[in-house]
Structure formats: C-alpha cells, structure tokens
Amino acid sequence: IGLRVASAPYKTEYMTFETFDSNGMEIFAIYDSGREEKISNSRLAVIYNDKKSLRVGDTGVVVEYLGVGIHIPLTVSPISYDLSAFALPDESIIYDGNYHTSGASPIYLLGLDGIPLICEIRGGGSDAGIYTVTAAFSTESRDYILPDNISATLKIEPRIVDLVWSGREFVYDGGAKLPEAGFFDVMGAYRKVY
C-alpha cells in the first residue's frame, strides 16, 4: 500500500503548540493492485515530532493510514510570551544613601515547552541622579520569541536638609563670635558645618 496527497491542507503555516488542521487535505491509498481509494481524514493518524503539537523546527507532520505514512510539509513559527502582567515603570525616590534599582519584581515564566523565560533587573544607583533600569530577558526556548529588553528611568532626587543654626543671638563681650550650623544627615546623625 502507498499514499498519495491529492490536495494539500488549506492551512500550512502554524504557530508553536498548534495542532494540525486537515481541512482541505485529500489523501488517496494506492493498493498493490493499482486501485486508489480516497481516505477520510478522520481515518488518518497524525504523528507529531513531540507527540502532542507542532513545534519550531518541525517541517511538517506525518499522516498515517494502515501503518504507512506520508509527510505533509508545514511551516511553524515561534509565539510571543504573555508579558501583560509585567511592568517596569519609571520611578522617582529621595536620596537615602542606599543602592536602588527598580521596584519591579523579576519574573520567571515557564513556557508550554517547560523551558523558563528568565528576567533580570539591571541598573540603578546610590547617588542622586538619573539611571536607566533594564529588564533583560533570556531563554533557551526555540518555541518562543525572545522579548526585547524593557527600560525605565530611575531618578534619585537630592535630599533637602535644613541647616540648624545655634546661637543666633549674642551678647557682645568684645570677642569674636561665630554662630554654629549643622544638619541631620540621612542616617539621622547631626553633622556640624565648619
């Protein structure tokens, strides 16, 4: 017995994890006697490389009838990760002497192929200034499109401190007098200004 494709399926381009759609496909069995018989698509078995669905790298599927198979060529493209729940907003904080980066949590998504998408938050600073913070993505999956890195701005605003003056009023006794000034730093310690 042999098989012949009389007409290809309507759909030949797929996204990862889709299953084969045989609509429009016509397969004929060719028997040793030379007789041909159209085989109903419901009588054909579809064989995938990973047993469940189409994956990037697959060049098609095998349709099988009575133990004889024929390759049906297809194209499979990767899909995008759903990052709709992830945000990397611009942020502004007041200087406190500590290192800061984005307040966004790194994400760890497990794809349908069992391979994770890893997100690392990079960038930040401890001094007053403007910094770029980046969510950098990586994966070993071929079934997904690697997302572009996402960037945001982190602005560390200078801390405004009030000078504390002492001895604003003096009794002149003929000697030089200087007022004393200081401020409280970010740790709450009083610092004298000379």
Side-chain angles (χ1 to χ4, degrees):
I1 187 171
L3 297 177
R4 175 176 69 84
V5 178
S7 63
Y10 298 137
K11 184 174 181 176
T12 58
E13 294 185 7
Y14 290 83
M15 301 303 288
T16 303
F17 308 117
E18 285 187 307
T19 55
F20 177 66
D21 180 354
S22 63
N23 284 323
M25 180 177 73
E26 289 187 356
I27 302 288
F28 282 82
I30 305 167
Y31 297 98
D32 293 339
S33 65
R35 180 176 71 87
E36 290 192 13
E37 174 190 6
K38 182 180 176 190
I39 306 301
S40 165
N41 289 346
S42 63
R43 294 172 58 197
L44 296 168
V46 178
I47 300 169
Y48 299 98
N49 284 340
D50 81 343
K51 308 287 189 261
K52 296 180 281 187
S53 61
L54 293 162
R55 304 286 287 274
V56 170
D58 290 351
T59 58
V61 294
V62 172
V63 292
E64 193 175 88
Y65 176 69
L66 299 178
V68 177
I70 189 166
H71 183 263
I72 307 296
L74 306 170
T75 302
V76 183
S77 299
I79 61 173
S80 297
Y81 285 99
D82 178 7
L83 298 178
S84 60
F86 178 74
L88 189 65
D90 291 337
E91 295 180 60
S92 182
I93 60 169
I94 302 295
Y95 172 82
D96 65 2
N98 295 314
Y99 182 84
H100 291 277
T101 188
S102 172
S105 298
I107 60 171
Y108 180 90
L109 290 175
L110 191 61
L112 294 174
D113 56 3
I115 300 173
L117 171 69
I118 298 167
C119 171
E120 181 183 351
I121 305 295
R122 299 177 182 162
S126 56
D127 292 329
I130 297 175
Y131 300 90
T132 298
V133 177
T134 303
F137 299 98
S138 63
T139 186
E140 294 181 9
S141 176
R142 296 182 325 155
D143 293 312
Y144 288 89
I145 299 166
L146 182 65
D148 292 333
N149 291 347
I150 300 171
S151 293
T153 299
L154 170 65
K155 185 175 184 181
I156 300 179
E157 306 271 357
R159 178 173 291 278
I160 309 279
V161 294
D162 291 323
L163 283 178
V164 178
W165 294 92
S166 65
R168 292 185 189 179
E169 295 182 15
F170 299 99
V171 175
Y172 183 69
D173 62 5
K177 302 269 187 220
L178 292 175
E180 181 181 291
F183 64 93
F184 290 96
D185 68 14
V186 294
M187 303 305 286
Y190 180 77
R191 303 280 182 190
K192 199 175 198 181
V193 177
Y194 296 97

